Amino acid sequence: MSLGGGGGGGQMQELQQQLQALEQEKEALEGEVEELRAEQSEIDEAIEALDVLDSGSTVQVPLGGDAYVRATVEDIDEVIVSLGGGYAAEHESDEAVETLEHKKDTIDERIEDLREEISQVETETERLEQQAQQMQQQQMQQMQQQMGGPGDGGDEE
């Protein structure tokens, strides 16, 4: 919303664009946090499975495309864990759980970093909103001064 008067409209439009960009950045950061939380949930499920399953247990293995096949766990003590970057390592069950716990800790750190970024974006948004509010008030005052000049309340006889 741009009010007329002395060149303030361009500044107001620029502020609105900055606010919109900050809102988009905040949404992207929050989306990344949600993705990381989903990854943590999957890690929790894997840790729980390693705690519960025994060799010889029957499991459903995803094939992709929401298709699964029943399989029997041959040896629960040998677990292959993704290390990231296309690499994986075979671990004993306990080591696999430790590796997964470490991945969760790393994700926690990343989530904390993202929360700090979100906080900074919110602080900047508040600052720009206050600046926009002050500009609107100044523009309103200028309009009122232009409309109601001196000498309005003269003597009538």
Side-chain angles (χ1 to χ4, degrees):
M1 165 170 129
S2 178
L3 300 175
Q11 288 177 329
M12 183 63 76
Q13 185 176 6
E14 185 179 323
L15 277 176
Q16 294 298 334
Q17 290 171 345
Q18 289 174 343
L19 285 167
Q20 186 176 9
L22 286 171
E23 183 61 31
Q24 290 172 348
E25 182 178 353
K26 180 181 172 185
E27 287 175 10
L29 291 169
E30 288 173 341
E32 193 172 339
V33 168
E34 289 305 312
E35 288 174 14
L36 290 170
R37 288 193 187 286
E39 188 176 342
Q40 279 184 321
S41 179
E42 290 177 11
I43 291 171
D44 284 336
E45 289 174 11
I47 291 171
E48 183 179 343
L50 288 172
D51 287 340
V52 171
L53 291 176
D54 293 318
S55 295
S57 296
T58 300
V59 295
Q60 297 215 4
V61 179
L63 299 175
D66 286 334
Y68 298 83
V69 64
R70 281 196 186 97
T72 302
V73 176
E74 186 176 313
D75 186 359
I76 195 67
D77 292 328
E78 295 176 10
V79 180
I80 297 174
V81 179
S82 172
L83 302 174
Y87 294 97
E90 186 173 315
H91 292 292
E92 291 183 11
S93 185
D94 291 344
E95 291 174 344
V97 170
E98 286 178 27
T99 301
L100 292 170
E101 291 287 355
H102 178 70
K103 286 175 83 168
K104 276 181 53 178
D105 291 343
T106 301
I107 292 171
D108 280 336
E109 291 170 9
R110 179 65 183 138
I111 287 173
E112 188 59 37
D113 290 344
L114 290 170
R115 287 189 184 283
E116 288 178 21
E117 287 183 52
I118 290 169
S119 178
Q120 291 171 359
V121 168
E122 289 173 342
T123 299
E124 180 67 8
T125 298
E126 289 173 15
R127 186 186 70 77
L128 290 177
E129 285 174 345
Q130 288 175 354
Q131 188 176 347
Q133 197 172 31
Q134 289 171 351
M135 289 178 71
Q136 284 179 332
Q137 289 173 351
Q138 288 172 352
Q139 289 174 352
M140 291 294 282
Q141 288 171 354
Q142 288 174 357
M143 286 179 65
Q144 289 173 351
Q145 288 173 355
Q146 290 172 0
M147 292 176 148
D152 276 344
D155 282 331
E156 289 184 16
E157 291 185 41

